[in-house]
Amino acid sequence: MKKALLALLVVLVAVSGAFAEWKPTTPVSIIVPAGAGGNTDLSARVFAQYAKELSGVDFIVVNANGAAGSIAADQVRSAAPDGHTFLYGHNLVNVANVAGITDYNYTAFKLGPTFAKDPAQQLYVNPNKYKNLKEFIAAAKEKPGELVACTEVGAYTYYEILKFQDLAGIELDLVDYGSNSDKIVGMLSGQVDMMPGAYINCKDYLESGQFTALGVPSAERYELIKDIPTFKEQGIDLVYPDCDFSFYFPKETPDEVIAWYENIVQEMEKKPECLEAIRKVEMMPYYLSAADSEKHDAEYFNIFKSIADELATK
């Protein structure tokens, strides 16, 4: 009898613990610091779809583009720390801080898990103007400060292009060109000489021969973009942080909220259909715990800062 009562008590404790576990009680707002259709937006929608399937909770993607991601970041910083609002993205809060656009970095948030990875953005040109990296660098040296490269000052690609210029020994005309679609129109029309881009935004143009990839700023080739050479292979020692897509919560968010999101991402990435959905938006499934996500952000922040400090002395 005592054993039976003990077993019943264990079951009751387990059940009560399950019901006590935190879970969203209203629709969750995923604040995306980018417009619709890009890799940030599309991967956020993959998360929203499968998180609802697993939890029954609605997740709503809210696009809040502009000001190097600070519009979206400020929206989350001022939100209630109740797990119903979080920022989804990569590195933007760190780059914006290094660039002097904001007075805060990743430490202004409580990090949640990481959901997916995209290789560091590749650099693309119009093959009607430049056939390869060597030809582009030669043209840039012939016309210093005249070739147009589009970026967004204070955003992720800003320091990537600055570092590329420095290592290649060239000077480009850096222009804030707007959205990804605006950059692509500029490239196709010949008004832009070089653009950084995520693979999902440039894949079709690359396959149709309208774009040529100069290279990938990664230490080695990823399977996702295995046919694009790294800059290191071509003699330019450019290695830039990948895009790790993480969740950023208001600073005072309870640990139990973070644990719930860690658990649901882990459950999600056990589902083959979810992994395939991530790959279909030309990204790689990539889970990190909240603690490891914070470590990565610290490393990336230091990389961006070191690049900025190094370039400031030249």
Side-chain angles (χ1 to χ4, degrees):
M1 178 65 74
K2 288 183 179 180
K3 288 184 178 180
L5 287 173
L6 182 59
L8 178 60
L9 180 62
V10 169
V11 170
L12 289 173
V13 169
V15 170
S16 64
F19 280 110
E21 179 183 294
W22 181 89
K23 179 180 177 179
T25 55
T26 63
V28 175
S29 294
I30 307 174
I31 311 300
V32 171
N39 55 349
T40 308
D41 173 75
L42 293 174
S43 58
R45 294 179 190 279
V46 171
F47 172 80
Q49 174 187 341
Y50 287 95
K52 180 176 181 178
E53 286 186 12
L54 286 168
S55 69
V57 176
D58 287 319
F59 289 79
I60 302 167
V61 175
V62 180
N63 298 99
N65 198 11
S70 61
I71 291 175
D74 286 339
Q75 189 172 332
V76 173
R77 288 178 71 217
S78 62
D82 58 7
H84 293 90
T85 303
F86 65 87
L87 178 71
Y88 175 78
H90 65 89
N91 298 319
L92 292 178
V93 294
N94 292 323
V95 182
N97 176 247
V98 171
I101 293 173
T102 65
D103 60 359
Y104 58 84
N105 62 7
Y106 72 97
T107 59
F109 300 86
K110 188 159 187 175
L111 266 290
T114 296
F115 175 64
K117 178 190 282 290
D118 206 15
Q121 289 198 12
Q122 308 89 61
L123 300 182
Y124 292 90
V125 296
N126 187 322
N128 293 327
K129 300 175 76 172
Y130 317 102
K131 297 292 189 294
N132 51 46
L133 177 63
K134 183 177 180 181
E135 194 170 309
F136 178 79
I137 291 175
K141 288 183 175 180
E142 186 177 331
K143 299 179 180 179
E146 293 186 29
L147 271 60
V148 175
C150 52
T151 184
E152 183 180 353
V153 176
Y156 168 78
T157 59
Y158 180 59
Y159 287 106
E160 177 184 359
I161 294 179
L162 289 178
K163 186 65 175 178
F164 170 68
Q165 283 187 137
D166 181 56
L167 293 172
I170 59 177
E171 180 185 352
L172 302 170
D173 180 13
L174 270 60
V175 177
D176 198 323
Y177 220 80
S179 67
N180 284 322
S181 58
D182 293 329
K183 293 172 185 175
I184 288 170
V185 169
M187 280 276 289
L188 295 174
S189 68
Q191 296 176 5
V192 170
D193 292 285
M194 185 189 79
M195 69 166 278
Y199 185 61
I200 188 171
N201 297 324
C202 301
K203 177 185 177 183
D204 290 344
Y205 300 99
L206 190 62
E207 292 177 349
S208 67
Q210 293 171 285
F211 282 9
T212 287
L214 294 181
V216 186
S218 56
E220 57 188 24
R221 295 196 192 195
Y222 286 110
E223 180 66 22
L224 176 67
I225 49 175
K226 62 183 179 181
D227 294 330
I228 302 177
T230 67
F231 283 106
K232 285 179 70 72
E233 292 175 47
Q234 303 176 83
I236 302 291
D237 192 19
L238 177 62
V239 177
Y240 200 64
D242 290 329
C243 301
D244 291 354
F245 288 85
S246 306
F247 301 170
Y248 300 77
F249 292 85
K251 188 68 174 177
E252 301 305 318
T253 301
D255 290 343
E256 60 181 349
V257 171
I258 304 302
W260 187 87
Y261 280 94
E262 288 179 320
N263 289 337
I264 202 165
V265 171
Q266 289 180 83
E267 288 302 312
M268 197 179 297
E269 297 201 352
K270 292 176 183 175
K271 297 172 71 70
E273 59 269 34
C274 178
L275 300 180
E276 182 60 24
I278 296 172
R279 295 186 185 103
K280 280 185 176 179
V281 297
E282 307 300 345
M283 294 174 67
M284 299 176 284
Y286 184 66
Y287 171 77
L288 289 178
S289 68
D292 286 340
S293 295
E294 186 170 2
K295 288 178 184 177
H296 263 221
D297 260 48
E299 292 171 5
Y300 285 172
F301 173 74
N302 289 330
I303 291 172
F304 294 129
K305 191 173 186 308
S306 66
I307 291 174
D309 291 345
E310 177 188 346
L311 295 176
T313 62
K314 293 187 176 182

